[in-house]
Amino acid sequence: MRKSEKPGGKREDGGPTLRRLWCALVASVVVPLLLFAGAAWFDLDRLIEDATDDGRRIAAVLREHTLKAIETHELLLRQVERLTGTLGWEEIRARSAALSAELVGMQAGLPQVSALSLADGEGRAWVASVPVGGAEDIYSVAHREFWMAQRDADRGTFISRAYVGRQTQRFNFGISRRRGTADGGFDGVAVVAVTVGYFTDFWTEATRGKSGAAVLLVRDDGEVLARSPSVSASLPRLAPPASLLMQHLQAGAESGVIRSRSTIDGVERITAFARVGRYPVTVTYGIPVAVIQAEWGEHLLWLGTVCLLAAAALVCTVLSAMRQARRLIDEQSRRATAEIAAWQAQRMELLGDLAAEVARDFANMVQVVDGVASLLRREAGSEHMSFLANMLDVTVAGGRTLTSRLCAFVNPGEDGGERVAAVAPAEAVGDICAMLSRGFGPACRLRCEIEAGGLPRLVRGGRAGLEAAVIRLVGDARDALHGQGEVVVRVTPERVSQAGGLAPGLYARVEVMGIAPGLLPGGAGAACGGAADVGRAGRTGPPLDGVRGFAERAGGALWVEAGPGRARLTVLWLPAVVAVPIGSAAA
């Protein structure tokens, strides 16, 4: 005999693999997003840091330029002091023409200087590098800040607020130094008017290509001396509460970087500032935050495109892997199902082989017993011995019948003889029901009803096949009742016209019905419409496929229905034998 091995091992259902792939799919989206967010944050921080460093560098350059310009102007003032320091105002007025010519020579080659002048204690400019009018109409600077500040106290080198010069008609700010008397009194000022355009032109050139950049020259008291780009309105004084720059300057900061919104144009900027030497002025350079953010937005566009493409590639890869994994899982499932089905088939085949071998061995033993019975009959010397021999003959006949039934149950119709075999349905069904009823307990009963009137004496199919069919149908009904209720086997005649796929004629109708406890048994007709319903019969499972095959080989049919009030109802039609061939007596 062949050995059957069950498909072994617990197969993985693919769940862990798919869960890992789902995690990979989520990661293929989340990781690029996290990388994008991290890179975006890092890039913004880098751009701000670059803007800060660039602001410090440019502010340092602007501070050096402003410092050199103011030092040059202070040097001019000291030259004017050396030229006129020992002269009184009577002598200065007498030599005003010559002294003015000297100032014109000093101014030559210095385009940033609008004018050099010398004013007395009453504010009259007697000496200047530009025309100041006649003696009766001398130009007065007594209203200028650079003169008033020095009058009140010696301010050293004082830088005034910006103004428009009367002679030059240019926007200037004055740098002045005080002239004093021998007793320390106020005796006028020497002043150089510096054109604001000199600084703004340089700042414009220095910040070329810096979109939105702004440069300020502001005094420690918040007075804005110059700005680039210029504004149409007058420049406001910066106040500490509203100006973060003034807060830092009043705190004594020499340089630094701040981020604040301008009180002049309302633009938020990152501003670097630096004090101009020892002078009370500070130069600032600011770059708009919006410009940095715009550049950052361009970087984000490229970075986002790269991350999106990377995420799309990862997602496509993972989805492809998931599809392949599903195909592999489906293929493994199909193979496992096929292996189990093959194992079950092999197992059933082995059981059939075992049953066949048992049947053959039993047949051999029956043959031996038959031979012994024949010897006893020939050697019988008494009536008792003859009786024993007859009993052995009866037992041998029963053994042969049981063997044929077992072979038919294992391989129904294997020899192809059941197409012409005939059986008495009442006798066969009654005998097998009597035998089966002994296996029923008190909770589940078997009842057999046979309507002899009009029932065909013989039907096609063979006794072994019919008994095997009844055994299977009764077992199926009993299993459906779960051991509780009653199984009714009813054999009745039925004449069929052309309907339901059955040939016209007389049939033996075998009904097997399972009735659950507490439910009315009903009639067959209540659940089955008759032979016309054969075409609508439902599918049978493997337990009843053999019965259906037996019925169809015999020219009949099988009808199965699970109806309300019944666990199972099956009807088997077997056609009557009109002319029984010789040798086809009931087995």
Side-chain angles (χ1 to χ4, degrees):
M1 290 178 61
R2 293 168 297 186
K3 292 184 178 181
S4 173
E5 294 185 0
K6 184 177 181 179
K10 182 180 179 181
R11 286 183 170 82
E12 183 178 342
D13 60 358
T17 301
L18 289 178
R19 282 194 294 271
R20 287 192 292 268
L21 288 174
W22 272 111
C23 292
L25 181 62
V26 174
S28 64
V29 176
V30 173
V31 171
L33 286 178
L34 293 177
L35 290 176
F36 174 76
W41 181 267
F42 173 79
D43 187 59
L44 179 60
D45 186 68
R46 180 186 62 81
L47 289 175
I48 292 176
E49 185 177 357
D50 290 347
T52 300
D53 295 340
D54 189 58
R56 286 195 180 100
R57 179 180 58 80
I58 294 179
V61 172
L62 299 180
R63 177 189 60 187
E64 291 300 318
H65 172 262
T66 304
L67 178 61
K68 291 183 181 300
I70 294 178
E71 287 177 342
T72 300
H73 300 148
E74 186 180 16
L75 181 60
L76 286 177
L77 294 178
R78 293 187 182 278
Q79 288 179 349
V80 172
E81 289 177 352
R82 284 195 296 269
L83 180 63
T84 62
T86 59
L87 302 178
W89 282 106
E90 289 295 333
E91 187 176 1
I92 290 174
R93 282 192 292 270
R95 299 175 53 185
S96 61
L99 292 174
S100 296
E102 289 286 342
L103 296 184
V104 171
M106 292 181 188
Q107 181 182 347
L110 297 174
Q112 70 270 26
V113 177
S114 293
L116 276 170
S117 60
L118 189 64
D120 61 14
E122 295 179 358
R124 293 175 296 180
W126 294 101
V127 179
S129 61
V130 294
V132 293
E136 300 298 331
D137 189 24
I138 195 71
Y139 175 67
S140 175
V141 296
H143 60 289
R144 298 297 187 189
E145 185 188 23
F146 59 78
W147 186 87
M148 292 186 293
Q150 297 289 4
R151 179 194 61 187
D152 298 336
D154 187 357
R155 304 290 294 272
T157 301
F158 177 77
I159 302 175
S160 74
R161 69 173 62 95
Y163 62 92
V164 178
R166 190 180 73 172
Q167 283 81 16
T168 61
Q169 295 298 310
R170 288 191 293 182
F171 207 58
N172 310 309
F173 60 84
I175 302 177
S176 65
R177 289 185 63 81
R178 181 178 182 180
R179 281 174 56 90
T181 61
D183 58 359
F186 177 64
D187 194 29
V189 296
V191 60
V192 56
V194 182
T195 178
V196 172
Y198 169 75
F199 293 95
T200 56
D201 291 345
F202 178 79
W203 295 343
T204 301
E205 187 64 27
T207 59
R208 188 181 300 276
K210 307 291 184 180
S211 177
V215 182
L216 287 180
L217 184 62
V218 59
R219 272 190 336 202
D220 287 352
D221 61 355
E223 189 71 42
V224 179
L225 305 182
R227 185 183 189 274
S228 176
S230 60
V231 293
S232 57
S234 59
L235 296 174
R237 180 188 290 267
L238 304 183
S243 174
L244 186 60
L245 172 64
M246 294 308 300
Q247 296 176 18
H248 282 75
L249 294 180
Q250 290 189 357
E254 295 290 330
S255 62
V257 178
I258 60 174
R259 179 173 176 172
S260 63
R261 190 172 298 277
S262 172
T263 58
I264 297 176
D265 57 10
V267 176
E268 185 182 11
R269 289 184 174 88
I270 295 176
T271 302
F273 64 92
R275 180 178 291 275
V276 181
R278 56 185 175 82
Y279 301 104
V281 292
T282 300
V283 64
T284 69
Y285 168 78
I287 185 73
V289 175
V291 173
I292 300 175
Q293 292 174 342
E295 184 178 359
W296 183 52
E298 295 178 359
H299 292 182
L300 289 185
L301 182 61
W302 288 103
L303 182 62
T305 302
V306 172
C307 290
L308 180 62
L309 292 177
L314 290 174
V315 168
C316 291
T317 302
V318 174
L319 289 177
S320 176
M322 291 180 70
R323 286 193 295 269
Q324 185 176 2
R326 286 195 179 96
R327 287 196 296 268
L328 291 176
I329 292 171
D330 293 341
E331 181 64 25
Q332 290 177 355
S333 177
R334 285 192 295 270
R335 290 182 179 179
T337 303
E339 289 177 2
I340 293 174
W343 177 78
Q344 292 286 0
Q346 185 180 15
R347 182 170 176 268
M348 295 303 296
E349 182 181 357
L350 291 177
L351 289 176
D353 292 344
L354 177 62
E357 291 181 6
V358 171
R360 284 192 291 272
D361 293 341
F362 191 77
N364 293 333
M365 289 186 288
V366 169
Q367 185 68 29
V368 172
V369 173
D370 187 27
V372 172
S374 299
L375 292 175
L376 287 175
R377 186 180 296 105
R378 286 195 298 269
E379 301 294 334
S382 65
E383 183 179 352
H384 179 67
M385 292 297 292
S386 299
F387 174 75
L388 293 179
N390 291 334
M391 290 294 293
L392 284 177
D393 287 338
V394 173
T395 303
V396 168
R400 285 175 176 169
T401 301
L402 181 61
T403 302
S404 64
R405 292 177 184 176
L406 181 61
C407 292
F409 184 78
V410 174
N411 297 308
E414 185 181 46
D415 56 358
E418 288 193 356
R419 286 188 175 274
V420 296
V423 60
E427 179 185 352
V429 175
D431 291 347
I432 197 64
C433 286
M435 183 187 72
L436 292 176
S437 62
R438 292 192 290 269
F440 279 68
C444 186
R445 301 185 304 277
L446 175 64
R447 178 160 52 93
C448 181
E449 300 177 357
I450 300 176
E451 183 180 337
L455 186 70
R457 189 176 67 85
L458 295 176
V459 294
R460 299 172 64 89
R463 184 182 182 106
L466 178 58
E467 290 179 345
V470 173
I471 291 173
R472 293 192 182 184
L473 295 179
V474 170
D476 183 64
R478 180 179 179 180
D479 292 341
L481 291 174
H482 304 290
Q484 298 288 331
E486 184 180 27
V487 178
V488 178
V489 179
R490 182 181 293 112
V491 182
T492 59
E494 181 176 353
R495 183 166 296 278
V496 177
S497 59
Q498 184 67 35
L502 293 176
L506 182 63
Y507 286 81
R509 175 189 176 113
V510 182
E511 296 180 6
V512 179
M513 180 168 55
I515 304 174
L519 297 176
L520 295 176
C528 175
D533 293 323
V534 171
R536 300 195 302 271
R539 293 181 58 188
T540 58
L544 299 184
D545 285 344
V547 179
R548 182 181 293 278
F550 161 73
E552 292 176 351
R553 285 193 298 272
L558 178 69
W559 190 94
V560 181
E561 178 179 309
R566 302 169 181 84
R568 191 83 160 182
L569 172 63
T570 55
V571 179
L572 174 66
W573 287 275
L574 294 176
V577 176
V578 178
V580 181
I582 298 175
S584 63

